[in-house]
Amino acid sequence: MSPRFQGMMPQLGIGTELIYAFVIILCCLIIYFATKELYNITKHQGIRYFRLSFLFFAIALFFRSFIKFVLILFNSRTLFDIAPRAFAGVTTFIFMYFSLIAIFYLLYSLIWKKDKKNLGIYLMHLLALVITIITILLGNILIYIILNVLILILILYLIYQKKSKKKSGLYFIYLLLLVFWIFNILDIFIPNFLQSLQLIIYFVSIGIFFVILYRVLTKIGSK
Amino acid sequence: MAKRNRLEVIRDILKIIQDSHNLIKLTPLLRKSNLSSNRFYQYLEELIQKRLVVKTEGHIKLTENGKKYLERYSSIVNFIEEFGL
């Protein structure tokens, strides 16, 4: 394993990690299930990609927390030190893949109308797969982080281009969501990165998901 | 008159069916929808595919989904606009 991957340093206790994961996974699943009826009525592809992105955020966060949980339990720096290589590789792969695909789906929910042939989503799956495999094989997390930042910039640019009256609110929420999602990725892979700020990152991340959940529920409930 | 967007056209078609006691023939529906024939049949195919309406013996009827669409139209529009979908 490359030294660049040796950064899975546990900092907070199991309790904090479990509460953090539980709250965000719950928020994501509520968003996913609360929008089910709207999707069933309309079969609107934008709603479909939006709700699936939160399902994938939930899956990614579950595996992120699983990795953290195992590291804290065994007081280890990397999953590859304590688990069989294949197991550690698969767990890391699932986290990275679903993390990327969640952001891709969020991106696609904004641009699906421009993709007449509906090929974009398959390309995004392929891209996520290739990037994840390359990152794991090379043991170079930098590629993965840079790509996440590029997607973030692209999403912000697309929202900025939209002519919606409400784009300023959406712009701010997605900006925070993606910035803190990248912090969550950094927190797993880079040693001691943002260690002193970890609890603040957790609180802000929970806050962002609460804001999105609140906006989803109020819009769904409005007549 | 401003051009209607997709969601508005769908709402208008469903509303016409509802206002006709949930049973209307194709020709009056086409006339009242204010669409060209081509566009009307594209929309009709989409509505049938999305199970918002059913076609029975030359008549068009709303399904439960179609009724829900009308009830929840403002929520649907608000949600789609809010998240730029």
Side-chain angles (χ1 to χ4, degrees):
Chain A
M1 196 69 206
S2 160
R4 289 177 199 164
F5 247 145
Q6 306 273 319
M8 301 174 174
M9 174 71 109
Q11 284 119 30
L12 292 174
I14 287 176
T16 315
E17 289 295 335
L18 286 180
I19 292 168
Y20 172 68
F22 177 77
V23 172
I24 294 194
I25 289 172
L26 192 67
C27 283
C28 290
L29 293 180
I30 292 174
I31 291 170
Y32 177 74
F33 286 108
T35 50
K36 185 181 176 186
E37 193 198 3
L38 279 199
Y39 175 67
N40 284 342
I41 295 170
T42 59
K43 303 287 181 212
H44 189 279
Q45 293 304 297
I47 297 176
R48 179 182 172 222
Y49 296 121
F50 176 83
R51 59 195 298 264
L52 279 174
S53 98
F54 284 92
L55 178 67
F56 295 143
F57 271 124
I59 296 171
L61 205 90
F62 176 81
F63 279 93
R64 178 198 173 280
S65 299
F66 175 75
I67 293 169
K68 275 268 186 182
F69 178 78
V70 173
L71 294 178
I72 292 169
L73 199 66
F74 291 94
N75 196 23
S76 178
R77 284 177 63 84
T78 164
L79 200 58
F80 289 84
D81 290 342
I82 45 178
R85 258 194 106 68
F87 176 77
V90 167
T91 310
T92 312
F93 172 84
I94 293 172
F95 164 65
M96 291 170 89
Y97 177 75
F98 279 102
S99 183
L100 258 182
I101 218 68
I103 297 173
F104 277 152
Y105 266 66
L106 199 61
L107 168 69
Y108 201 69
S109 75
L110 302 169
I111 58 166
W112 67 276
K113 280 181 191 166
K114 290 175 185 169
D115 182 16
K116 303 286 180 202
K117 291 182 180 173
N118 253 348
L119 290 174
I121 202 67
Y122 300 107
L123 283 175
M124 286 179 180
H125 274 285
L126 188 67
L127 195 62
L129 195 69
V130 169
I131 290 162
T132 307
I133 291 171
I134 288 174
T135 308
I136 289 180
L137 288 181
L138 295 180
N140 189 347
I141 196 66
L142 198 63
I143 303 167
Y144 189 75
I145 302 290
I146 289 171
L147 192 96
N148 273 278
V149 173
L150 287 177
I151 299 167
L152 177 135
I153 293 165
L154 181 63
I155 290 180
L156 296 179
Y157 173 74
L158 287 169
I159 298 168
Y160 187 75
Q161 291 281 38
K162 277 197 173 254
K163 289 176 182 171
S164 164
K165 291 170 192 168
K166 293 173 181 171
K167 76 176 177 189
S168 55
L170 183 69
Y171 189 81
F172 188 64
I173 292 172
Y174 280 4
L175 171 71
L176 287 178
L177 172 69
L178 296 171
V179 166
F180 279 87
W181 189 251
I182 288 171
F183 281 160
N184 274 286
I185 295 168
L186 289 172
D187 174 48
I188 279 276
F189 291 117
I190 298 188
N192 303 323
F193 189 82
L194 300 168
Q195 187 175 11
S196 55
L197 296 172
Q198 199 174 27
L199 205 57
I200 296 169
I201 290 169
Y202 282 10
F203 274 122
V204 179
S205 298
I206 287 174
I208 293 163
F209 277 91
F210 270 141
V211 170
I212 296 173
L213 176 64
Y214 172 78
R215 290 181 84 147
V216 166
L217 293 180
T218 50
K219 290 298 157 188
I220 283 175
S222 61
K223 296 278 175 193
Chain B
M1 191 176 157
K3 196 180 172 215
R4 293 176 292 175
N5 65 32
R6 253 191 79 258
L7 293 172
E8 284 171 334
V9 173
I10 291 174
R11 179 206 54 193
D12 289 348
I13 294 173
L14 297 179
K15 191 83 175 57
I16 293 164
I17 302 169
Q18 190 184 48
D19 291 346
S20 308
H21 307 288
N22 195 18
L23 197 69
I24 189 167
K25 283 189 174 181
L26 275 175
T27 316
L29 182 58
L30 166 62
R31 195 181 64 243
K32 290 177 182 179
S33 65
N34 278 329
L35 295 166
S36 68
S37 183
N38 270 351
R39 282 192 73 208
F40 172 76
Y41 284 106
Q42 279 172 7
Y43 272 106
L44 186 64
E45 196 178 317
E46 185 184 335
L47 295 183
I48 292 170
Q49 197 186 358
K50 288 180 172 176
R51 295 180 186 172
L52 293 169
V53 299
V54 281
K55 194 174 169 186
T56 50
E57 296 166 5
H59 287 80
I60 304 295
K61 267 180 81 171
L62 288 184
T63 61
E64 279 309 305
N65 262 357
K67 290 174 191 168
K68 277 185 194 166
Y69 186 101
L70 284 175
E71 281 169 21
R72 308 218 48 197
Y73 175 74
S74 58
S75 303
I76 294 165
V77 171
N78 279 340
F79 184 77
I80 289 170
E81 279 183 3
E82 176 77 7
F83 293 97
L85 309 175

